[in-house]
Amino acid sequence: MASPRTLRRMPRQTSINLRVAVALCALWLQVKPSWSASHPPITGRAGVVAADDERASRLAAGILERGGTAIDAAITAALAVGVVNPQSSGLGGGGFAVVYIAATGRFYAFDFRETGPAAISAALFFENGALHPTRSQLGGLAVGVPGELAGLIALHREFGVLPWRDLVLPVARLADRFDVGWHAARAVADAGTPYAAAFAHWQQGGVVGRPALAKTLRALASNPMAMYRGPLARELAASVVAAGGVITEKDLADYSIVTRTPLQGQWRGLRVVTMPLPSSGGVVLLSSLGTIAASGLDLAKFGAGSATAFHVIAEVLKHGFADRSRYLGDSAASATFLAEMLQPARLARMAKRIDLKRTQPIASYGQGPAAGRGLPEDRGTSHLCVVDAAGNAIALTTTVNGYFGSGIVTPSGIVLNNQIDDFTIEAGTANLYGLVQSELNLVAPGKRPLSSMTPTLIADDKGIVGCVGGSGGPNIISATLQVLLNGLWFGMDAEAAVSAPRIHHQWAPETLRVDRDVAPEVADALRAKGHKLAGAPYGQVQAIFIRNGLMEAASDPRKGGRAAAARPGSKPKTRRP
């Protein structure tokens, strides 16, 4: 949904149409069946996939059946989601991946986040001395240098066993013709004409094709680097410049992914492995788990979905988001503070400030600006989890940021991100998601914006026991935390864990978002503790849990996804192409 500032700048008829669409969406939300009325998880022992679209899950399961690794399958799934859910992710975006290789017992973190172009600066986003309301969200200046394709190429180079073209061509065939899913159709209405103009004809159940993208995918199957060097790169840069941006062919040719040391922590005897900076999700997740552990509180005794359990989760999230706002970004100073955030003594201090009866004044959760506008509904981003029969695993999150990114679609069918909005443009000013961020995240050439993406793997001493991650802006962090708690503390199966009602708090704005399935008496009890309730959270999570060798996979019903399992007997090859 476009921000109020965006609406004011639209032509009157466009604004009216968008407001009607938003009103219809609000009515849809009131009549949509309960999330918790869901099916059992998908189970198997030969490998499972949880993506936010069933077609992506099934294509990826087919890769497992052909002898592909979890990483091979994830590449196909990521490309497929970008075809059928262009509002969420695609070749014009970027992302993160956390990988586990069973044969060596090692974890890896791949950063293919978008970067600031060489000619970017904060000054470009001001007009007559004031911050322009939409330049970081809509049009050419909003576009960061895309990294998704480079990330998938790197993952394949390191861990793939099937030929690259075998992973891409099934997705090209999908792009030729497919049915529009309900979430994609809803996103067209929510995003509004400036963002979704190229998809205005999409209606739920309608049969469409993306011929330009299908042609591009076939070209990339033969030459994967074509988007970074050559005619495709020239076209992409020209599309950005024509829309007022500054990306050049050199920016694309110079782009590189970063292999980082994963961020790790111990929780309830398990190893939690997640993304380091520029992901804020990993550190806030670990600090939240650590603060709960340091408190000595047993959430299971309070009960899943109880007011007290939700209250504790909200309180630890507020501490994490307050620190995110003040100290995190793509900088050496932020890396130093990240380590301090996770020190046991500090977590213990935060734990002592939890009052089971009341919330605290906002200033007690951190210093600095506390202003933030209301949060929009769920935006772009997709998450997927894959575990194969050998025990290899990958948690992969990709995004174009807002629905349909910058609103630019290249002649080759690539939806370009609006990731620049994840930078700080002006310290103390909230971004698209209502997040207030410091000058440590200030936009600059080559920098990678702070992210909420939280791809996470959980392991015991024998191997992987869980994979979680989600979409929905800052809701990713709170939703991932709660699904992890649901599955590995409250004992829910994967489907119940992703379907259960959730809450979201990000410190500023000072509101607690509560799923509509939360019982009225629980909502009343949260108000009595001082929480200001304001609508529902919009994060969606994909998860896999492994218990006694049986893999359970589930895709969040909030996005209409569905997991898939490989046929019995499937196992990954060991030889590289």
Side-chain angles (χ1 to χ4, degrees):
M1 185 168 68
S3 71
R5 292 185 296 177
T6 303
L7 288 172
R8 286 197 292 272
R9 297 183 64 84
M10 292 180 184
R12 177 174 174 79
Q13 188 60 49
T14 300
S15 178
I16 291 172
N17 291 343
L18 181 54
R19 292 179 191 278
V20 169
V22 171
L24 289 173
C25 179
L27 177 61
W28 175 90
L29 285 172
Q30 294 174 14
V31 301
K32 185 76 173 63
S34 167
W35 301 131
S36 56
S38 56
H39 43 71
I42 298 296
T43 60
R45 298 182 185 274
V48 291
V49 182
D52 63 16
D53 187 275
E54 183 174 7
R55 290 160 292 191
S57 295
R58 289 188 178 279
L59 281 179
I63 296 297
L64 295 177
E65 292 168 357
R66 295 177 59 188
T69 64
I71 293 80
D72 286 319
I75 292 167
T76 295
L79 291 171
V81 169
V83 168
V84 297
N85 282 340
Q87 77 278 6
S88 298
S89 62
L91 295 171
F96 299 137
V98 177
V99 176
Y100 173 73
I101 301 301
T104 62
R106 292 187 61 186
F107 291 89
Y108 303 83
F110 285 72
D111 174 356
F112 43 100
R113 183 80 161 143
E114 302 91 332
T115 60
I120 202 75
S121 71
L124 295 173
F125 298 89
F126 287 79
E127 185 174 73
N128 299 323
L131 183 65
H132 192 280
T134 63
R135 280 184 186 169
S136 67
Q137 300 172 15
L138 180 66
L141 280 175
V143 184
V145 182
E148 176 174 306
L149 181 60
L152 300 182
I153 293 168
L155 285 165
H156 181 258
R157 181 175 62 245
E158 293 295 326
F159 306 119
V161 297
L162 296 184
W164 168 262
R165 64 183 290 105
D166 290 357
L167 309 180
V168 179
L169 289 178
V171 183
R173 290 191 288 271
L174 174 65
D176 287 330
R177 182 181 173 87
F178 58 92
D179 295 340
V180 177
W182 69 264
H183 194 272
R186 171 189 168 189
V188 170
D190 287 356
T193 301
Y195 295 90
F199 304 94
H201 62 290
W202 281 30
Q203 296 183 348
Q204 182 179 348
V207 178
V208 297
R210 298 182 65 186
L213 182 61
K215 181 179 178 180
T216 297
L217 287 166
R218 289 184 170 95
L220 294 174
S222 300
N223 179 14
M225 290 303 297
M227 203 179 98
Y228 293 97
R229 296 178 181 85
L232 274 178
R234 191 172 308 118
E235 177 194 275
L236 192 156
S239 297
V240 172
V241 171
V246 294
I247 287 180
T248 66
E249 289 184 68
K250 188 175 188 304
D251 287 321
L252 292 163
D254 289 347
Y255 181 86
S256 62
I257 70 113
V258 180
T259 303
R260 302 188 183 275
T261 301
L263 190 61
Q264 302 191 38
Q266 293 291 323
W267 174 74
R268 293 174 61 83
L270 298 171
R271 191 176 180 186
V272 181
V273 185
T274 186
M275 279 300 300
L277 290 172
S279 165
S280 67
V283 65
V284 176
L285 175 69
L286 290 182
S287 69
S288 297
L289 291 171
T291 303
I292 294 173
S295 73
L297 297 170
D298 186 350
L299 297 187
K301 289 184 178 179
F302 301 135
S306 67
T308 302
F310 279 147
H311 172 73
V312 171
I313 291 167
E315 293 299 284
V316 300
L317 284 168
K318 282 191 276 186
H319 285 303
F321 272 102
D323 287 330
R324 179 198 195 279
S325 174
R326 289 181 291 150
Y327 297 120
L328 298 186
D330 186 4
S331 71
S334 293
T336 299
F337 185 73
L338 183 150
E340 295 177 8
M341 280 181 69
L342 299 177
Q343 288 297 316
R346 185 181 181 281
L347 295 174
R349 290 196 299 271
M350 296 298 100
K352 288 179 180 178
R353 294 162 65 181
I354 298 174
D355 183 339
L356 293 182
K357 296 181 179 179
R358 294 289 302 174
T359 61
Q360 306 299 313
I362 191 170
S364 71
Y365 297 99
Q367 300 172 356
R373 65 174 182 267
L375 294 175
E377 294 187 5
D378 162 48
R379 293 281 178 150
T381 305
S382 295
H383 179 80
L384 61 93
C385 286
V386 189
V387 180
D388 65 31
N392 304 308
I394 179 170
L396 187 151
T397 313
T398 61
T399 186
V400 291
N401 197 33
Y403 273 170
F404 301 102
S406 61
I408 301 171
V409 182
T410 72
S412 295
I414 299 171
V415 176
L416 297 179
N417 68 83
N418 61 349
Q419 210 65 65
I420 297 300
D421 192 66
D422 267 4
F423 283 111
T424 301
I425 306 298
E426 182 178 44
T429 300
N431 72 358
L432 175 68
Y433 295 103
L435 289 168
V436 180
Q437 305 176 108
S438 77
E439 62 275 6
L440 294 173
N441 190 43
L442 192 68
V443 65
K447 284 184 66 175
R448 297 169 190 242
L450 198 61
S451 171
S452 297
M453 294 185 288
T454 317
T456 301
L457 296 174
I458 307 99
D460 62 14
D461 56 0
K462 296 179 182 178
I464 295 297
V465 298
C467 174
V468 290
S471 57
N475 294 268
I476 293 170
I477 303 172
S478 57
T480 299
L481 169 66
Q482 290 167 87
V483 171
L484 191 158
L485 293 172
N486 288 344
L488 298 178
W489 197 342
F490 294 125
M492 299 180 190
D493 68 36
E495 187 67 38
V498 302
S499 302
R502 298 194 288 260
I503 57 95
H504 172 75
H505 208 305
Q506 62 182 52
W507 180 59
E510 198 176 3
T511 54
L512 178 68
R513 288 184 166 257
V514 178
D515 260 333
R516 63 180 181 277
D517 284 352
V518 169
E521 60 270 22
V522 171
D524 290 341
L526 289 168
R527 292 188 186 94
K529 293 178 185 294
H531 293 285
K532 303 173 184 177
L533 273 58
Y538 290 94
Q540 299 98 19
V541 179
Q542 272 61 250
I544 295 172
F545 296 120
I546 304 173
R547 312 175 205 268
N548 299 317
L550 184 65
M551 304 173 188
E552 304 171 359
S555 297
D556 203 314
R558 294 165 180 82
K559 206 167 185 178
R562 180 84 162 136
R567 289 193 300 265
S570 304
K571 60 181 181 179
K573 299 177 180 179
T574 57
R575 295 184 62 182
R576 299 290 303 278

PDB file of all heavy atoms in Angstrom, residues 139 182 260 281 293 324 340 363 466 506 513 516 519 530 540-541 574:
ATOM      1  N   GLY A 139      10.768   4.839  -8.766  1.00  0.00           N
ATOM      2  CA  GLY A 139      11.572   5.412  -9.832  1.00  0.00           C
ATOM      3  C   GLY A 139      13.038   5.020  -9.756  1.00  0.00           C
ATOM      4  O   GLY A 139      13.461   4.228  -8.909  1.00  0.00           O
ATOM      5  N   TRP A 182      -3.574 -15.908  -5.630  1.00  0.00           N
ATOM      6  CA  TRP A 182      -4.354 -14.872  -4.943  1.00  0.00           C
ATOM      7  C   TRP A 182      -3.469 -13.817  -4.297  1.00  0.00           C
ATOM      8  O   TRP A 182      -3.836 -12.635  -4.239  1.00  0.00           O
ATOM      9  CB  TRP A 182      -5.301 -15.491  -3.917  1.00  0.00           C
ATOM     10  CG  TRP A 182      -4.662 -16.111  -2.706  1.00  0.00           C
ATOM     11  CD1 TRP A 182      -4.356 -17.414  -2.524  1.00  0.00           C
ATOM     12  CD2 TRP A 182      -4.272 -15.448  -1.500  1.00  0.00           C
ATOM     13  NE1 TRP A 182      -3.778 -17.615  -1.292  1.00  0.00           N
ATOM     14  CE2 TRP A 182      -3.720 -16.423  -0.632  1.00  0.00           C
ATOM     15  CE3 TRP A 182      -4.329 -14.127  -1.061  1.00  0.00           C
ATOM     16  CZ2 TRP A 182      -3.236 -16.123   0.635  1.00  0.00           C
ATOM     17  CZ3 TRP A 182      -3.836 -13.829   0.210  1.00  0.00           C
ATOM     18  CH2 TRP A 182      -3.306 -14.811   1.036  1.00  0.00           C
ATOM     19  N   ARG A 260      30.272 -14.294   4.094  1.00  0.00           N
ATOM     20  CA  ARG A 260      30.511 -13.798   5.445  1.00  0.00           C
ATOM     21  C   ARG A 260      30.561 -14.942   6.452  1.00  0.00           C
ATOM     22  O   ARG A 260      30.099 -16.056   6.164  1.00  0.00           O
ATOM     23  CB  ARG A 260      29.418 -12.798   5.850  1.00  0.00           C
ATOM     24  CG  ARG A 260      29.311 -11.602   4.919  1.00  0.00           C
ATOM     25  CD  ARG A 260      28.369 -10.552   5.472  1.00  0.00           C
ATOM     26  NE  ARG A 260      28.194  -9.431   4.562  1.00  0.00           N
ATOM     27  CZ  ARG A 260      28.995  -8.369   4.488  1.00  0.00           C
ATOM     28  NH1 ARG A 260      30.065  -8.303   5.279  1.00  0.00           N
ATOM     29  NH2 ARG A 260      28.755  -7.390   3.630  1.00  0.00           N
ATOM     30  N   GLY A 281      18.351  -8.719  11.230  1.00  0.00           N
ATOM     31  CA  GLY A 281      17.476  -9.781  11.693  1.00  0.00           C
ATOM     32  C   GLY A 281      18.185 -10.796  12.551  1.00  0.00           C
ATOM     33  O   GLY A 281      17.673 -11.228  13.582  1.00  0.00           O
ATOM     34  N   ALA A 293      16.124 -16.307  27.493  1.00  0.00           N
ATOM     35  CA  ALA A 293      16.857 -17.320  28.260  1.00  0.00           C
ATOM     36  C   ALA A 293      17.402 -16.733  29.555  1.00  0.00           C
ATOM     37  O   ALA A 293      17.330 -17.361  30.626  1.00  0.00           O
ATOM     38  CB  ALA A 293      17.985 -17.895  27.410  1.00  0.00           C
ATOM     39  N   ARG A 324      18.734  -1.745  17.232  1.00  0.00           N
ATOM     40  CA  ARG A 324      18.842  -1.725  15.772  1.00  0.00           C
ATOM     41  C   ARG A 324      18.777  -0.299  15.270  1.00  0.00           C
ATOM     42  O   ARG A 324      19.566   0.127  14.425  1.00  0.00           O
ATOM     43  CB  ARG A 324      17.689  -2.541  15.164  1.00  0.00           C
ATOM     44  CG  ARG A 324      17.689  -2.576  13.648  1.00  0.00           C
ATOM     45  CD  ARG A 324      16.326  -3.006  13.120  1.00  0.00           C
ATOM     46  NE  ARG A 324      16.369  -3.389  11.723  1.00  0.00           N
ATOM     47  CZ  ARG A 324      16.348  -2.539  10.690  1.00  0.00           C
ATOM     48  NH1 ARG A 324      16.301  -1.231  10.919  1.00  0.00           N
ATOM     49  NH2 ARG A 324      16.393  -2.983   9.453  1.00  0.00           N
ATOM     50  N   GLU A 340      28.693  -6.546  21.179  1.00  0.00           N
ATOM     51  CA  GLU A 340      28.297  -6.091  22.517  1.00  0.00           C
ATOM     52  C   GLU A 340      26.839  -6.415  22.804  1.00  0.00           C
ATOM     53  O   GLU A 340      26.477  -6.739  23.944  1.00  0.00           O
ATOM     54  CB  GLU A 340      28.542  -4.590  22.642  1.00  0.00           C
ATOM     55  CG  GLU A 340      30.008  -4.201  22.570  1.00  0.00           C
ATOM     56  CD  GLU A 340      30.209  -2.698  22.626  1.00  0.00           C
ATOM     57  OE1 GLU A 340      29.209  -1.978  22.876  1.00  0.00           O
ATOM     58  OE2 GLU A 340      31.344  -2.243  22.425  1.00  0.00           O
ATOM     59  N   ALA A 363      11.339   5.379  26.110  1.00  0.00           N
ATOM     60  CA  ALA A 363      12.728   5.809  26.265  1.00  0.00           C
ATOM     61  C   ALA A 363      13.567   4.773  27.005  1.00  0.00           C
ATOM     62  O   ALA A 363      14.788   4.727  26.844  1.00  0.00           O
ATOM     63  CB  ALA A 363      12.782   7.141  27.007  1.00  0.00           C
ATOM     64  N   GLY A 466      16.232 -27.569  12.204  1.00  0.00           N
ATOM     65  CA  GLY A 466      15.248 -26.570  11.829  1.00  0.00           C
ATOM     66  C   GLY A 466      15.773 -25.582  10.817  1.00  0.00           C
ATOM     67  O   GLY A 466      16.987 -25.343  10.709  1.00  0.00           O
ATOM     68  N   GLN A 506       8.163  -3.289  17.062  1.00  0.00           N
ATOM     69  CA  GLN A 506       9.487  -2.879  16.594  1.00  0.00           C
ATOM     70  C   GLN A 506       9.965  -1.620  17.303  1.00  0.00           C
ATOM     71  O   GLN A 506      10.760  -0.869  16.778  1.00  0.00           O
ATOM     72  CB  GLN A 506       9.483  -2.681  15.078  1.00  0.00           C
ATOM     73  CG  GLN A 506       8.533  -1.586  14.593  1.00  0.00           C
ATOM     74  CD  GLN A 506       8.528  -1.472  13.081  1.00  0.00           C
ATOM     75  OE1 GLN A 506       8.344  -2.464  12.379  1.00  0.00           O
ATOM     76  NE2 GLN A 506       8.742  -0.260  12.568  1.00  0.00           N
ATOM     77  N   ARG A 513       1.198  -4.935  17.152  1.00  0.00           N
ATOM     78  CA  ARG A 513       0.304  -5.513  16.150  1.00  0.00           C
ATOM     79  C   ARG A 513      -0.029  -6.940  16.548  1.00  0.00           C
ATOM     80  O   ARG A 513       0.851  -7.707  16.925  1.00  0.00           O
ATOM     81  CB  ARG A 513       0.947  -5.458  14.768  1.00  0.00           C
ATOM     82  CG  ARG A 513       0.989  -4.032  14.214  1.00  0.00           C
ATOM     83  CD  ARG A 513       1.540  -3.964  12.803  1.00  0.00           C
ATOM     84  NE  ARG A 513       1.250  -2.658  12.237  1.00  0.00           N
ATOM     85  CZ  ARG A 513       0.283  -2.408  11.363  1.00  0.00           C
ATOM     86  NH1 ARG A 513      -0.502  -3.396  10.949  1.00  0.00           N
ATOM     87  NH2 ARG A 513       0.071  -1.194  10.906  1.00  0.00           N
ATOM     88  N   ARG A 516      -5.493 -11.294  13.985  1.00  0.00           N
ATOM     89  CA  ARG A 516      -6.928 -11.283  14.268  1.00  0.00           C
ATOM     90  C   ARG A 516      -7.406 -12.577  14.912  1.00  0.00           C
ATOM     91  O   ARG A 516      -8.487 -12.628  15.480  1.00  0.00           O
ATOM     92  CB  ARG A 516      -7.719 -11.033  12.983  1.00  0.00           C
ATOM     93  CG  ARG A 516      -7.562 -12.110  11.929  1.00  0.00           C
ATOM     94  CD  ARG A 516      -8.396 -11.763  10.696  1.00  0.00           C
ATOM     95  NE  ARG A 516      -8.278 -12.788   9.677  1.00  0.00           N
ATOM     96  CZ  ARG A 516      -7.277 -12.855   8.808  1.00  0.00           C
ATOM     97  NH1 ARG A 516      -6.312 -11.970   8.855  1.00  0.00           N
ATOM     98  NH2 ARG A 516      -7.240 -13.811   7.903  1.00  0.00           N
ATOM     99  N   ALA A 519      -7.300 -14.453  20.691  1.00  0.00           N
ATOM    100  CA  ALA A 519      -8.567 -14.413  21.434  1.00  0.00           C
ATOM    101  C   ALA A 519      -8.805 -13.021  22.014  1.00  0.00           C
ATOM    102  O   ALA A 519      -7.863 -12.365  22.469  1.00  0.00           O
ATOM    103  CB  ALA A 519      -8.543 -15.446  22.554  1.00  0.00           C
ATOM    104  N   GLY A 530      -0.579  -2.339  29.183  1.00  0.00           N
ATOM    105  CA  GLY A 530      -0.089  -1.077  28.655  1.00  0.00           C
ATOM    106  C   GLY A 530       0.209  -1.050  27.181  1.00  0.00           C
ATOM    107  O   GLY A 530       0.677  -0.040  26.654  1.00  0.00           O
ATOM    108  N   GLN A 540       5.309 -13.397   6.909  1.00  0.00           N
ATOM    109  CA  GLN A 540       4.999 -14.776   6.524  1.00  0.00           C
ATOM    110  C   GLN A 540       6.282 -15.602   6.604  1.00  0.00           C
ATOM    111  O   GLN A 540       7.343 -15.142   6.198  1.00  0.00           O
ATOM    112  CB  GLN A 540       4.436 -14.857   5.104  1.00  0.00           C
ATOM    113  CG  GLN A 540       3.146 -14.099   4.902  1.00  0.00           C
ATOM    114  CD  GLN A 540       3.365 -12.737   4.291  1.00  0.00           C
ATOM    115  OE1 GLN A 540       4.405 -12.472   3.706  1.00  0.00           O
ATOM    116  NE2 GLN A 540       2.402 -11.855   4.418  1.00  0.00           N
ATOM    117  N   VAL A 541       6.159 -16.816   7.113  1.00  0.00           N
ATOM    118  CA  VAL A 541       7.329 -17.640   7.406  1.00  0.00           C
ATOM    119  C   VAL A 541       7.221 -18.985   6.703  1.00  0.00           C
ATOM    120  O   VAL A 541       6.137 -19.571   6.631  1.00  0.00           O
ATOM    121  CB  VAL A 541       7.474 -17.856   8.930  1.00  0.00           C
ATOM    122  CG1 VAL A 541       8.683 -18.741   9.250  1.00  0.00           C
ATOM    123  CG2 VAL A 541       7.610 -16.508   9.639  1.00  0.00           C
ATOM    124  N   THR A 574      26.935 -36.540  -5.828  1.00  0.00           N
ATOM    125  CA  THR A 574      28.142 -35.989  -5.210  1.00  0.00           C
ATOM    126  C   THR A 574      29.103 -35.406  -6.230  1.00  0.00           C
ATOM    127  O   THR A 574      30.043 -34.699  -5.870  1.00  0.00           O
ATOM    128  CB  THR A 574      28.873 -37.071  -4.401  1.00  0.00           C
ATOM    129  OG1 THR A 574      29.173 -38.173  -5.263  1.00  0.00           O
ATOM    130  CG2 THR A 574      28.011 -37.550  -3.252  1.00  0.00           C
TER     131      THR A 574
END
